[in-house]
Amino acid sequence: MGAGHAHPLHLDHDSRLHRLPAEVKIVATLLFTIVVVITPREKFIAFAGYALLLVGVVVLAKVPPLWLAKRATIELPFVLLAIALPFAGHGERVDWLGMSLSIDGLHGAWNIFAKGTLGVLASLLLAATTTARDLLLGLDRLRCPQVFTQIATFMLRYLDILADDARRMRVARLSRGYDPRFLWQVKAFAVGVGALFIRSYERGERVYLAMVARGYSGRLPRPEGAGATTADWVRSATLPIAAGAIALVAVLA
């Protein structure tokens, strides 16, 4: 992890959010998501307030809205599930455009869509303003379990290598005239996956032993003076505090 490792969700811009330490952004995103999740689904005005907060974050982070919208499509499977709930739900029903919809199902669909969308957008903004290496360093500073950070570090470092191995194995298979496409040809695919797993396991063991021999203790090296200051924590607390205030007002109203 000595060199930066870019990931497709990171935007290399210069903004206030980009300059914040990773650990404060992780905590702020987590707290914001918790506030969104525990908000009663009937408090529609609260979700509108959360959306406005994220719009402000988008402006501060200089993230293009179109870029954000394209990557937010990752939640489409959950949206499709939410669309099915009004039709499959039980209890009191309402007629709309000739369709009989469950009121409880409508509330459930709104709950999934609103909370899922806000959570996905918050996560995308975190990824857009923080490099993968900084995310791992931030988790390490937050005293995340070493096993988690070690696995994530190796995965990040060698994911491209594994993808190249898989690509070369597929090219080798195709060059021999064998391209399994049907269910009864799954054996070749399974053999390739097994070989790739064994090769990856052996490579990971060798790399880990080599790192231990060079003094690796399980934690990433921390750049001097790169920790979060009190001012950084105060700035990052603005989002979850504002979200909490909106939730409180909506519940008491």
Side-chain angles (χ1 to χ4, degrees):
M1 295 296 297
H5 191 101
H7 62 83
L9 295 180
H10 176 65
L11 289 177
D12 190 15
H13 292 169
D14 183 23
S15 70
R16 295 180 181 179
L17 292 182
H18 282 77
R19 292 191 292 268
L20 280 176
E23 58 267 30
V24 301
K25 290 185 282 188
I26 293 172
V27 173
T29 303
L30 177 61
L31 293 178
F32 172 80
T33 305
I34 291 174
V35 172
V36 171
V37 169
I38 65 177
T39 301
R41 62 189 184 184
E42 297 84 7
K43 305 300 180 180
F44 303 107
I45 191 65
F47 294 103
Y50 301 151
L52 288 177
L53 288 178
L54 289 183
V55 169
V57 174
V58 169
V59 173
L60 288 176
K62 302 178 182 178
V63 176
L66 183 60
W67 181 95
L68 201 62
K70 287 181 178 179
R71 282 149 185 83
T73 55
I74 192 175
E75 68 163 341
L76 278 181
F78 301 98
V79 173
L80 295 177
L81 172 63
I83 292 175
L85 288 180
F87 301 95
H90 301 287
E92 187 179 355
R93 307 186 75 83
V94 62
D95 292 329
W96 183 72
L97 296 180
M99 297 180 291
S100 178
L101 305 177
S102 167
I103 294 179
D104 190 59
L106 287 171
H107 282 137
W110 162 255
N111 192 53
I112 293 175
F113 175 75
K115 295 181 179 180
T117 300
L118 291 171
V120 168
L121 291 177
S123 301
L124 286 173
L125 288 171
L126 173 63
T129 58
T130 316
T131 64
R133 180 179 184 274
D134 287 340
L135 281 174
L136 292 176
L137 286 173
L139 291 173
D140 191 63
R141 293 192 187 105
L142 293 172
R143 294 297 174 182
C144 223
Q146 290 189 19
V147 173
F148 175 81
T149 54
Q150 286 182 22
I151 293 175
T153 300
F154 282 111
M155 180 189 71
L156 174 67
R157 189 65 173 176
Y158 294 101
L159 192 59
D160 291 339
I161 296 177
L162 297 182
D164 288 338
D165 284 346
R167 193 177 301 110
R168 284 195 296 268
M169 291 172 65
R170 181 177 181 275
V171 170
R173 187 172 63 245
L174 292 176
S175 66
R176 288 165 175 80
Y178 191 67
D179 184 17
R181 295 176 178 270
F182 303 101
L183 184 61
W184 58 84
Q185 296 176 311
V186 73
K187 180 181 178 181
F189 177 77
V191 170
V193 171
L196 183 62
F197 172 78
I198 294 174
R199 185 182 302 176
S200 304
Y201 182 86
E202 292 176 344
R203 176 187 284 118
E205 188 175 21
R206 290 195 304 269
V207 171
Y208 176 75
L209 291 176
M211 292 175 66
V212 170
R214 290 164 173 79
Y216 180 66
S217 60
R219 290 201 175 275
L220 299 175
R222 302 183 183 183
E224 295 183 3
T229 63
T230 303
D232 292 330
W233 285 106
V234 171
R235 293 189 192 97
S236 67
T238 303
L239 178 64
I241 289 177
I246 291 173
L248 185 62
V249 171
V251 170
L252 296 178

